[in-house]
Amino acid sequence: MGESCTSVLLAEMPGSNVVKCLQSGMVRWYFNNLMVTFMEMDFHTFSKSFQNINFDVKSWQTEEGNRFVVINTCHQSIQFVIKECEHHRLSELFERARAELEILQILNG
């Protein structure tokens, strides 16, 4: 994030958070040493789609029985691999972040 960005923490969990830059309006999702920047509307779309992932249909399974999904990004060579337990925690994180964005929108009129 640039020096000119004053961020508001929207939601946080160990290893991940969602912030909004007050200057640019961009929403940034930090996860396991990666950061993805969204326009606010794109964050809403992504996070709702993320929550609707059906692991019974979309997941792969390791020999140990652990399930994960592969999420494509707009860059063909960049994909996220999300474990089932991470999916549940991140879904809650995104839900809290969207609620905080709504609160900011109400407060800022």
Side-chain angles (χ1 to χ4, degrees):
M1 294 187 284
E3 292 178 33
S4 64
C5 182
T6 303
S7 297
V8 173
L9 180 65
L10 301 173
E12 185 173 35
M13 64 179 227
S16 189
N17 67 41
V18 180
V19 301
K20 180 175 181 176
C21 175
L22 296 178
Q23 283 75 19
S24 69
M26 302 300 278
V27 175
R28 293 187 172 96
W29 169 42
Y30 165 77
F31 177 65
N32 291 341
N33 299 320
L34 295 171
M35 187 175 295
V36 182
T37 302
F38 300 92
M39 292 189 318
E40 187 172 334
M41 188 159 138
D42 293 335
F43 174 75
H44 282 280
T45 302
F46 169 79
S47 63
K48 287 178 182 178
S49 295
F50 183 91
Q51 286 182 296
N52 289 328
I53 293 172
N54 182 339
F55 261 78
D56 293 329
V57 175
K58 300 287 183 185
S59 68
W60 298 73
Q61 189 165 332
T62 66
E63 289 184 20
E64 294 83 28
N66 298 317
R67 298 192 314 170
F68 64 92
V69 292
V70 177
I71 299 173
N72 295 320
T73 69
C74 59
H75 299 282
Q76 190 174 12
S77 60
I78 300 174
Q79 299 166 321
F80 286 103
V81 176
I82 306 291
K83 299 174 193 170
E84 189 171 19
C85 62
E86 292 172 328
H87 179 261
H88 296 300
R89 292 192 314 260
L90 288 169
S91 290
E92 292 175 4
L93 178 84
F94 293 153
E95 192 169 325
R96 286 193 308 266
R98 284 196 315 270
E100 288 296 319
L101 285 169
E102 287 180 33
I103 291 168
L104 281 176
Q105 186 176 27
I106 291 168
L107 291 176
N108 294 328

